[in-house]
Amino acid sequence: MHPRHLWKRLTGVVVRRGIGATTGALALIAAFVLAGTAAGTSNAAAQPTRPTAVGQWSCAGAAIPNGWVLTAYDKNGCSGWGSWYQQPAADGLYTCSGSPIVPGYVTTDYVKYGCNGIGSWRHNIAKDGIWTCGGSPIVPGYVVTNYLGYGCNGVGAWQHNIARVGLRTCPGSPIPAGFRSTTYWAAGCNGLGSWFLAAA
């Protein structure tokens, strides 16, 4: 019962029954208030605490610590200048457009409405065979071996593999030390053309 309704009922009892009932009514009101407070406290204590991500909000233009990325954007933050949430990079984390890409990571997905409409990119640790979005860095020792025009929500996607003899590399792929490009195959990389990788 709402406290206001209980109070009206109890005061009505006091008026009808006289002063003698006042002490009992007051005791009942005090018990109700204390019980409500205790119940509220126990309910609050029982609520699981949501873990907070390790990170910090910063104003636009603030330095980003090495190994950290931008994962959220508030255009109204910092008195209208905009603010960014910074946190350490992690495998599978979505980051805002313009965020640094930590060495060893590649971008693997794009959501155009992410980060309050400025777009977001999923960062993953590079591994053999991973598909990455157009514009993703290529980790040293890797080559680009295939292409999908519709990948990454229309941005285009490129497959990255650890360099080894016999792979076919796409145009623009780096050729790591110890390897060389050889025979050209026009149908490779979904029609863009490709070159076989051979030992130097």
Side-chain angles (χ1 to χ4, degrees), residues 106-143:
V106 291
T107 57
T108 59
D109 190 27
Y110 172 64
V111 179
K112 65 180 178 181
Y113 52 82
C115 282
N116 262 335
I118 64 171
S120 60
W121 302 83
R122 186 172 60 206
H123 285 203
N124 287 100
I125 296 171
K127 61 183 178 183
D128 195 36
I130 198 167
W131 283 89
T132 68
C133 298
S136 172
I138 301 169
V139 172
Y142 280 74
V143 290

Side-chain angles (χ1 to χ4, degrees), residues 53-54 67-72 85-96 99-100 102 105-109 115 120-125:
V54 176
W68 286 44
V69 290
L70 305 175
T71 57
Y85 192 76
Q86 302 180 357
Q87 66 184 93
D91 194 35
L93 193 65
Y94 275 85
T95 66
C96 299
S99 172
V102 174
Y105 282 79
V106 291
T107 57
T108 59
D109 190 27
C115 282
S120 60
W121 302 83
R122 186 172 60 206
H123 285 203
N124 287 100
I125 296 171

